[in-house]
């Protein structure tokens, strides 16, 4: 599996990015219908976290099999993979944060999902008429996109940051990422799409009743005007416990001799 998956420019249709889905595929389909998404020519790129929290997490495998749907690995996929690998996750915390559906499945079925999630890249890059657009779940661990793949291969900390970090959005770091037209991420819930430099945060909580799925067209980066894009991010309460609980235990495991 390549950690960075590359896509040529779409010559026949549109490319969209969507924020965290968290088991709400019917709601996502309604959002696609609203923009007249055409699966014959259009493509949808997900910033990860396909599962947990919502009632349709098991549909993630069917969506991953669709030829027009492409997703990077999020921290919730990461937890499922690690649970199957050696069970060294905080099960209580995982359940609280939406993992009960996964824990309830028989081991062979868990392994099927873990295999599919393991095949997901950590980053996607898409050629557009405006330039190269990159997608990650949480943040780019390098200041220049050109060095991303090498760092992901060499450093576990870089892979962790790509799936788990909130540093950029919490510090309101607007320096951006060089070597790429734009970077699209999710992970931290925001009220509206938020831009920091050339990094776009689009997890507008489509998985919650009062949220919505942002479908960002990659060719135009069509988003709300800049004066609306610096709304403060929501407190990360929805994922805070999973970051401090599960990740804390995982980081201790990663530093141990038997870490992955």
């Amino acid at each position: 599996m390549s950690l960075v998956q590359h896509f040529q420019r779409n010559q026949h249709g549109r490319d969209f990015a969507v924020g965290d889905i968290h088991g709400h595929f019917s709601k996502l389909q309604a959002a696609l219908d609203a923009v007249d998404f055409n699966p014959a020519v259009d493509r949808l790129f997900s910033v990860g976290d396909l599962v947990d929290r919502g009632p349709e997490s098991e549909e993630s495998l069917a969506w991953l099999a669709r030829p027009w749907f492409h997703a990077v690995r999020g921290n919730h996929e990461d937890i499922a993979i690690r649970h199957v690998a050696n069970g060294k996750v905080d099960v209580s915390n995982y359940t609280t944060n939406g993992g009960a559906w996964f824990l309830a499945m028989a081991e062979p079925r868990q392994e099927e999902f873990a295999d599919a999630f393991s095949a997901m890249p950590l980053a996607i890059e898409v050629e557009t008429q405006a330039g190269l657009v990159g997608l990650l779940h949480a943040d780019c661990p390098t200041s220049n996109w050109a060095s991303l793949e090498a760092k992901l291969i060499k450093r576990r900390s870089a892979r962790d940051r790509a799936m788990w970090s909130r540093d950029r959005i919490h510090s309101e770091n607007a320096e951006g990422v060089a070597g790429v037209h734009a970077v699209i991420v999710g992970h931290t819930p925001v009220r509206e799409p938020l831009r920091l430099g050339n990094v776009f945060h689009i997890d507008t909580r489509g998985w919650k009743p009062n949220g919505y799925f942002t479908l960002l067209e990659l060719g135009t980066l069509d988003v709300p005007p800049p004066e609306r894009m610096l709304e403060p991010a929501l407190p990360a309460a929805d994922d805070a416990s999973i970051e401090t609980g599960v990740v804390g235990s995982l980081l201790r495991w990663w530093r141990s001799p038997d870490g992955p």
Side-chain angles (χ1 to χ4, degrees):
M1 179 210 69
S2 175
L3 294 180
V4 179
Q5 190 173 6
H6 182 87
F7 290 85
Q8 298 290 335
R9 181 176 170 182
N10 189 343
Q11 302 287 351
H12 305 290
R14 300 167 296 169
D15 287 339
F16 293 94
V18 66
D20 301 23
I21 300 169
H22 282 307
H24 284 273
F25 291 99
S26 294
K27 188 174 179 180
L28 172 60
Q29 184 61 60
L32 293 173
D33 293 343
V35 298
D36 296 322
F37 183 88
N38 181 356
V41 293
D42 297 335
R43 299 184 296 195
L44 180 63
F45 295 92
S46 161
V47 296
D49 275 8
L50 309 183
V51 298
D52 300 344
R53 306 194 190 286
E56 300 168 333
S57 290
E58 289 198 53
E59 293 189 21
S60 57
L61 294 188
W63 278 71
L64 285 170
R66 297 181 178 186
W68 46 265
F69 180 78
H70 310 280
V72 301
R73 192 188 314 170
N75 62 304
H76 282 256
E77 285 81 39
D78 187 48
I79 296 168
I81 293 168
R82 298 183 187 284
H83 175 75
V84 169
N86 62 14
K88 290 186 178 180
V89 300
D90 184 334
V91 171
S92 176
N93 200 285
Y94 187 18
T95 301
T96 299
N97 285 279
W101 72 279
F102 189 82
L103 295 171
M105 291 191 296
E107 286 187 11
R109 184 65 167 161
Q110 289 182 351
E111 291 170 359
E112 183 181 358
F113 278 86
D115 288 345
F117 296 161
S118 295
M120 296 165 69
L122 294 187
I124 284 174
E125 53 186 27
V126 184
E127 295 182 13
T128 76
Q129 67 262 33
L132 192 69
V133 174
L135 297 95
L136 296 142
H137 179 60
D139 195 11
C140 185
T142 59
S143 59
N144 193 306
W145 187 265
S147 62
L148 174 63
E149 186 166 18
K151 194 161 186 179
L152 289 174
I153 292 171
K154 293 178 181 178
R155 294 188 177 274
R156 187 172 297 147
S157 60
R159 300 193 292 273
D160 299 344
R161 183 173 174 183
M163 292 183 287
W164 289 92
S165 177
R166 303 185 195 277
D167 291 347
R168 184 184 304 272
I169 192 168
H170 282 177
S171 64
E172 298 183 7
N173 179 353
E175 292 180 3
V177 179
V180 65
H181 179 56
V183 176
I184 317 299
V185 299
H187 187 50
T188 301
V190 289
R191 292 184 179 89
E192 296 176 337
L194 181 147
R195 177 176 179 176
L196 293 170
N198 65 339
V199 179
F200 294 75
H201 298 260
I202 64 167
D203 179 14
T204 47
R205 305 175 300 154
W207 41 276
K208 291 183 73 71
N210 60 345
Y212 63 97
F213 284 120
T214 288
L215 292 174
L216 177 67
E217 190 169 353
L218 298 187
T220 61
L221 297 178
D222 188 14
V223 292
E227 63 269 22
R228 296 181 59 205
M229 291 176 58
L230 292 179
E231 289 284 335
L234 286 175
D238 294 296
D239 251 346
S241 60
I242 202 167
E243 183 169 358
T244 58
V246 174
V247 173
S249 62
L250 287 175
L251 288 176
R252 288 191 293 275
W253 168 45
W254 290 333
R255 287 193 292 265
S256 69
D258 61 337

